[in-house]
Amino acid sequence: MRAAISLLVLLFSMCGAQTRSTQIEVQTESQSTGAAAAVAEVSPQLDVSAELKELRDMVVELRVTLRYTQDELKVMKAENSDVKERLVASETKVKALEMVTAAQEAKLTAVKTRLAATETEVDNLEKEIKPAPKVAFSAGLTNSGFIESGNTELNLVFSRIITNVGQAYSSTTGFFTAPVRGVYYFRFTVMEVLSSRYMEIQMFKNGQQLMELYEYDSDGKATYLSSGLTLQLEVGDEVNLRIPPGHRLYDDSNNDSTFSGFLLVPL
């Protein structure tokens, strides 16, 4: 019995020791856990403070940057406003210049139209109004005294050229040839010394007689015949003077007998 009781006491003692040991272990573990928790609590607090400081610095930097950016935006807005004003002014000037240019182009078009019309009128006038050819001649008959026709009709060749503008009269053939279509005037004066005889002269156009004049005298003195005609001639028409058979004329250096003509109006 005593042995049993001693065994129970021993068992209780061992349980109590084991219990205290367990409590000590528990307390030790609790203290270790608390220290670790304290360290863990201090460490995050230190990390958060550093991050907060870093964030504050970033915020300050961002604010400074934002301030500079806002200032730059204000300057850019002012410049943009000035540019817009200049652009509006330039557009106004451009519109005004466009209106002026349009008006000038309209005037230029009108001037070109008038110029074209004027050039057309000038061309038409140039076609209608051609430079009038210059045609005029005068020639003396001879310098040798009497010229007689004999038994045949004699074509008179006024060989002593006084004037021959346009070279339409031939001192070789005695024919005037019209260089242009127009109205011409011809005149002649011839002399003969009549002693109971006739003086006679004829004007021809293209071989057809247009006029014949004659004079009779018996005093033995110089007698003159003078006349003229206005003729409408075509290009190439010929005019000449003749005396019939058995007649004569006289001329010397005084140009007693002459033949003249000139263009009055070109047609």
Side-chain angles (χ1 to χ4, degrees):
M1 184 67 178
R2 290 179 180 177
I5 292 170
S6 296
L7 180 62
L8 289 172
V9 171
L10 180 61
L11 289 173
F12 279 118
S13 298
M14 292 177 64
C15 290
Q18 187 176 0
T19 301
R20 283 195 299 270
S21 177
T22 300
Q23 289 177 350
I24 292 170
E25 289 177 0
V26 169
Q27 288 177 356
T28 302
E29 289 178 359
S30 297
Q31 290 176 356
S32 298
T33 303
V39 172
E41 288 178 357
V42 172
S43 180
Q45 287 179 358
L46 292 175
D47 293 338
V48 169
S49 298
E51 290 180 359
L52 287 175
K53 184 177 182 302
E54 186 178 354
L55 288 173
R56 288 193 191 98
D57 294 338
M58 291 177 63
V59 168
V60 171
E61 185 179 354
L62 288 173
R63 286 178 178 175
V64 173
T65 303
L66 179 61
R67 185 179 300 112
Y68 283 128
T69 303
Q70 289 175 344
D71 293 339
E72 290 179 357
L73 285 174
K74 289 180 181 179
V75 173
M76 292 177 65
K77 286 181 179 180
E79 292 178 352
N80 190 30
S81 178
D82 184 55
V83 169
K84 285 183 178 180
E85 291 179 358
R86 291 200 300 270
L87 180 60
V88 171
S90 299
E91 290 177 349
T92 303
K93 290 181 180 179
V94 168
K95 289 181 180 179
L97 289 174
E98 287 177 349
M99 293 177 64
V100 172
T101 302
Q104 291 178 346
E105 288 179 351
K107 289 181 180 179
L108 181 60
T109 301
V111 170
K112 287 181 178 179
T113 302
R114 291 197 299 270
L115 180 60
T118 302
E119 289 177 349
T120 302
E121 291 178 0
V122 169
D123 291 339
N124 293 334
L125 288 174
E126 287 178 349
K127 292 178 182 178
E128 294 177 0
I129 304 174
K130 296 180 181 180
K134 298 175 176 59
V135 182
F137 78 95
S138 287
L141 182 59
T142 183
N143 194 25
S144 59
F146 288 103
I147 293 179
E148 299 186 21
S149 60
N151 296 325
T152 58
E153 187 178 64
L154 176 66
N155 176 58
L156 297 175
V157 178
F158 293 79
S159 58
R160 301 177 65 227
I161 296 294
I162 300 172
T163 302
N164 194 14
V165 178
Q167 306 299 314
Y169 175 75
S170 172
S171 60
T172 301
T173 64
F175 283 83
F176 172 85
T177 304
V180 295
R181 183 173 182 266
V183 177
Y184 296 79
Y185 178 73
F186 296 94
R187 185 171 183 84
F188 61 86
T189 296
V190 292
M191 190 265 280
E192 160 62 308
V193 178
L194 294 179
S195 178
S196 298
R197 57 180 296 136
Y198 284 94
M199 176 176 59
E200 189 172 352
I201 189 168
Q202 302 162 325
M203 181 179 286
F204 286 80
K205 170 188 172 183
N206 296 332
Q208 182 179 2
Q209 181 177 309
L210 299 177
M211 178 179 64
E212 182 177 16
L213 296 178
Y214 60 91
E215 179 71 22
Y216 177 84
D217 204 343
S218 60
D219 59 4
K221 296 180 181 181
T223 302
Y224 291 88
L225 275 176
S226 183
S227 188
L229 284 177
T230 298
L231 302 177
Q232 179 176 331
L233 303 180
E234 302 295 330
V235 176
D237 285 350
E238 295 179 329
V239 177
N240 67 306
L241 298 177
R242 302 178 189 177
I243 57 176
H247 289 76
R248 68 181 187 181
L249 295 176
Y250 180 84
D251 198 7
D252 56 25
S253 59
N254 293 322
N255 290 324
D256 299 296
S257 296
T258 59
F259 180 33
S260 301
F262 54 88
L263 174 65
L264 284 173
V265 181
L267 299 176

